Amino acid sequence: MPIISKSKNPSHLHLSVRLRMLSRNLWFTWNPEACRLFKELSPFVWQRSNHNAAAVMNEISDRELEARLRDHNFSKRVHAVLENFESYMSEKSTWSKRHAAALKDPVAYFSAEFGLHESLPIYSGGLGILSGDHTKSASDLGIPFIGIGLFYRQGYFQQKLNADGWQEEFYPANIPDNLPLELVLQPEGGRLLNSIEIGHSTVYFQTWAVQVGRVTLFLLDTNLPENDQHFQNLTSTVYGGNIDTRIGQESILGIGGVRLLQSLKILPSVYHMNEGHSAFLVLELLNQELKSGKTREEAEQVVRSKCVFTTHTPVPAGHDRFNSELMSYTFGKFWNSTGLTHEDMMSYGRINPADTNEQFTMTVLAIKMSRASNGVSELHGHVSREMWKSIFPGKTVDEVPIGYITNGIHTPSWATAYAHSFWNRRLGSDWTDKLMEPKFWKKIANDELATDEELWALRYNLRRSLVEYARRRHAEHQSCQAEASYASSNILSPDALTIGFARRFATYKRAPLIFRHLEKTIPLLADAQRPVQIIFAGKAHPRDNEGKRFIQNIIEITRHSQLTGKVVFLENYDIKVARYLISGVDVWLNNPRRPLEASGTSGMKVTIHGGLNLSIMDGWWREAYNEENGWKIGDDSNDADLETQDERDFGSLVQLITESVVPEFYDRDGQDIPRKWLKRVRNAMQTLISQFSTDRMVGEYVQKYYLKKDN
Ligand SMILES: *Cc1c(COP(=O)(O)O)cnc(C)c1O
């Protein structure tokens, strides 16, 4: 890409220049040694900026940096990290070269949110985390890959709870100068400007480039003086505003994204729509083919041969829909030039093209105009085929062309620094390159590689970090609210069985389920010999009052006299809070209303830290559970009646904790080691780490969808 200057071999450059380059590539975020360098340069800025290396480097003068680099030990470590980084960037023998050489032109991956790191808050939840992890694995595997998203000036909200336990939302500004963003310029200099039409207005956008290892992610941004005020704010918040904002953002993402790639002379081999938000890209591609003189059938065929689509939403109401008037207003001018009618356009987004009352559904557009579509777990694939079968009259459910690829996580990003060094010593520091080799992970069965004593020490260490973090947060909260009556050092215990529950507070995830019959839960938690504690975190969507009531519910329970210090809620769930939680807990609890969890990924993050899953048989866990690597709540079915389902799942949950989880955790031998528990942990590590990594997942996307033209 000529636009972004990338020096081929930077090793001749001065150390400080190379270090500044490193701070502007998110590779540092999954390399703890690199994080440590920036943290040491300024612990204060590192902390205050939520671990933002670019902010640290901005605040350090060249003179200070020179002085710090004259410290021999420090500069030796800087050298080692830079060599590691630079050899990663120039690596020739990648997985992609070996297994996907036919994939030459880049995959263009479109997503409304990217959760890459806590310092770049342009994500809201699981979908964004998945896009971020997908992008990082694409980099690790060396796949030609470009990400397209939006730059949200205010990102997603920060959560504060008031004295009543009610969620309040704050939107701090994302300042580009303080983030690892490069403004994309024209070859002849000056900012690259592109535009789309919305109604009769022209809306301009500029583009920021973020380096994610070897991958470039482009973020589109309408905050420009060239635009009317309301278009300047179009891309300001993640899923913010009203339906006009939504269709506007999605136009920028889909149509703008295609135009951006063309203005950069990038010809993608495939357009991957990650969820329906970006599906308007199809209209832009169709528009261009039609204008070039193709017939409608020819144009559709060309477009379909270039697009693949991943759906994530197992409930009909969760899919974006726009009515005919809004579509006509927004795209009238744009679509007129194709020579097709408004009803022709609407037909692409309708299950039944002849039904003029039917709204335009983004998912329908994407499914109709992609060469391949998929859900994100086996069960979700099935649910999606059922949900969209009427797009394909005459086909049985099983014939509906929607497959599945189960989600994964980018393990090097989720492993804490402590877990990295633990496994570096035992598996070799290249364990991060072995995530596609299930055999490699069988090694963990060998208790000479890591003894039970060492694994248990790992658990202690990580649990203590979480408990101390929660106490710090609690103390900060107390000092500004003077509200809780007990000392922070009395909350939680580093010895107690620790359960974690953290995710968006969408009501189907049923955060308060475990408290459904409090009289049954209290004795479980309050047992003095075998204590159990639960840590919660999560944000409710700003307009989801029911979700906010769930949070308030949990807060009330944290104040219950018999549960003081045993149930804790951590405010402002984000990637950093998640990392503390998924590494510190012994058990990750997931109790969504089946089958509404398309995949779920947070439970996958605990395994490398020796955590275990206790989960409904939904999404990924249905494929992962083998009786020895964790626990299943309920069974592989669901009752149509919600009350019945809740009651049954609560019963199963409490029974499991009472009869299996607690006894196994506290069943210690003479060395105070829970042997049986650790056997489960080893089994989980052997069966889950490789299978549920995004390296495996992206590899599957390459083989099944990116390379194959005819599905
Ligand atoms: C992993 C993660 C998620 C995804 O959670 P699920 O409920 O498992 O889909 C959401 N938010 C954050 C911050 C995460 O780290």
Side-chain angles (χ1 to χ4, degrees), residues 44 46 53 100 123 140 174 229 251 282 289 318 360 376 407 422 457 484 493 524 549 566 687 693:
F44 173 72
W46 179 255
Y123 61 94
D140 287 348
N174 284 328
Q229 186 62 44
S251 304
V282 164
E289 296 299 335
F360 187 98
V376 290
N407 284 343
F422 183 90
S493 153
L524 255 185
R549 260 192 293 281
K566 291 178 176 300
T687 56
S693 77

Side-chain angles (χ1 to χ4, degrees), residues 123-127 129-130 133 409 414 502-504 508-509 573-579 582 588 590 597 599-605 620:
Y123 61 94
S124 88
L127 181 71
I129 304 290
L130 182 80
D133 283 5
I409 55 160
W414 290 104
R503 43 185 61 82
R504 280 183 308 114
Y508 77 85
K509 296 188 184 237
Y573 187 46
D574 70 352
I575 290 176
K576 184 180 75 179
V577 177
R579 204 179 297 108
I582 52 97
W588 192 252
N590 190 24
E597 185 90 311
S599 165
T601 56
S602 52
M604 303 171 187
K605 302 167 190 165
W620 77 285

Side-chain angles (χ1 to χ4, degrees), residues 310-371:
T310 302
T311 177
H312 293 262
T313 312
V315 266
H319 295 257
D320 277 332
R321 290 183 166 78
F322 303 110
N323 68 35
S324 181
E325 295 70 50
L326 184 58
M327 288 294 292
S328 161
Y329 169 78
T330 308
F331 296 120
K333 185 164 165 228
F334 160 86
W335 191 252
N336 260 342
S337 58
T338 61
L340 298 184
T341 66
H342 170 69
E343 286 304 318
D344 289 335
M345 176 175 71
M346 290 299 291
S347 71
Y348 290 109
R350 282 178 178 149
I351 292 177
N352 175 5
D355 178 359
T356 52
N357 287 321
E358 189 181 329
Q359 296 200 328
F360 187 98
T361 304
M362 295 300 268
T363 303
V364 175
L365 170 66
I367 290 175
K368 283 189 172 181
M369 294 306 296
S370 292
R371 71 179 193 222

Side-chain angles (χ1 to χ4, degrees), residues 67-81:
R68 299 290 289 270
L69 290 171
R70 279 196 290 272
D71 173 340
H72 180 64
N73 276 330
F74 186 68
S75 87
K76 220 168 89 186
R77 284 169 44 222
V78 171
H79 267 291
V81 168

